[in-house]
Amino acid sequence: MSSNRSRILIADDHNLVAELCKRLLEPEFQVVGTVSNGRDLVRAAAELKPDVIVVDVAMPVLNGLDAGKQVKEALHTVKLVYLTMNTDPELALEAFDRGASGYLLKTCAASEMVLAVREVLRGKTYVSPTLKERVAYLRWERKKMMVEEADRLTERQREVLQLLAEGKVMKEIAYTLNLATRTVAFHKYRIMDVLGTKSNAELVRY
């Protein structure tokens, strides 16, 4: 029977919290392990291949956000549910940017954790109700800012930005757009200035 249940890995440096999570989830899911730091989480995830990881944001050795990001890069289908005391909506948004499916406050009711795990297993996202509106507002604000910034780019700059995002190097972009390489470089640095980005990775993310 247990092999048909979704597999859960728990990562929290407080043993009491980890044990409570395990007891709450075990009636419905298969808890395959608990770990107490980010490095052990990355190793355990690779070995145990869970369906969902319930992970604290603040953990020793490697924090939960960085550990979760590494796990997602290796196991694309794993769902991350962050469990934390931190009520900062910016941090919640950062967690979702790094691949989270859920963001849950440790002040939540026991039933809410089970609900969150169910929801992410269905392919949905879950945010604690006390944070939901603030996270949604921040998302809207960010989208609005991106639209406003994009409107400040010229048509040519938007073409360059798209090709950069597709992984093209400047010589390839120059060939595609029939421009000199130094002209592409000029456009690239103007785009970075307008968007407030500092690297190719940030441009691609944008």
Side-chain angles (χ1 to χ4, degrees):
M1 288 288 291
S2 63
S3 61
N4 296 324
R5 296 191 296 167
S6 296
R7 297 162 58 81
I8 313 291
L9 176 62
I10 298 166
D12 199 297
D13 60 320
H14 294 97
N15 291 335
L16 179 60
V17 174
E19 186 59 34
L20 285 171
C21 290
K22 183 178 179 183
R23 290 189 182 189
L24 288 171
L25 295 169
E26 271 185 331
E28 188 169 334
F29 309 103
Q30 183 185 3
V31 178
V32 294
T34 61
V35 294
S36 59
N37 68 66
R39 292 280 176 218
D40 286 347
L41 168 58
V42 174
R43 283 192 287 267
E47 180 184 338
L48 299 170
K49 295 182 172 49
D51 300 301
V52 177
I53 299 173
V54 176
V55 51
D56 192 2
V57 172
M59 286 200 300
V61 187
L62 182 66
N63 70 75
L65 291 178
D66 288 340
K69 185 170 182 289
Q70 288 186 29
V71 171
K72 283 290 286 186
E73 286 169 356
L75 302 170
H76 304 301
T77 59
V78 72
K79 310 293 185 184
L80 300 173
V81 176
Y82 283 96
L83 181 65
T84 178
M85 290 297 296
N86 198 312
T87 60
D88 184 354
E90 292 275 7
L91 185 65
L93 214 51
E94 175 72 10
F96 285 110
D97 285 345
R98 294 185 181 217
S101 293
Y103 193 90
L104 199 59
L105 297 178
K106 286 184 176 178
T107 52
C108 72
S111 58
E112 193 181 333
M113 176 182 286
V114 177
L115 175 63
V117 173
R118 285 180 191 152
E119 290 291 286
V120 303
L121 282 167
R122 293 189 186 110
K124 298 180 180 179
T125 58
Y126 188 92
V127 185
S128 277
T130 52
L131 276 178
K132 200 168 187 177
E133 279 189 23
R134 286 188 288 162
V135 171
Y137 176 76
L138 273 179
R139 277 201 177 114
W140 172 82
E141 203 173 44
R142 181 188 287 183
K143 284 179 182 176
K144 182 185 173 192
M145 187 174 68
M146 287 175 72
V147 169
E148 288 171 353
E149 288 169 343
D151 284 344
R152 290 159 57 197
L153 299 178
T154 66
E155 187 176 339
R156 179 63 85 195
Q157 286 168 346
R158 290 166 67 87
E159 290 175 335
V160 170
L161 177 58
Q162 177 170 338
L163 292 167
L164 284 168
E166 290 173 2
K168 301 285 194 300
V169 298
M170 282 198 274
K171 281 187 179 179
E172 292 174 308
I173 296 171
Y175 177 79
T176 302
L177 299 178
N178 195 26
L179 298 172
T181 305
R182 67 176 177 274
T183 304
V184 173
F186 170 77
H187 283 310
K188 175 186 170 183
Y189 294 117
R190 281 293 302 131
I191 293 165
M192 292 174 77
D193 185 50
V194 169
L195 301 183
T197 55
K198 296 178 175 62
S199 67
N200 277 358
E202 288 184 11
L203 277 178
V204 170
R205 196 177 304 122
Y206 177 91

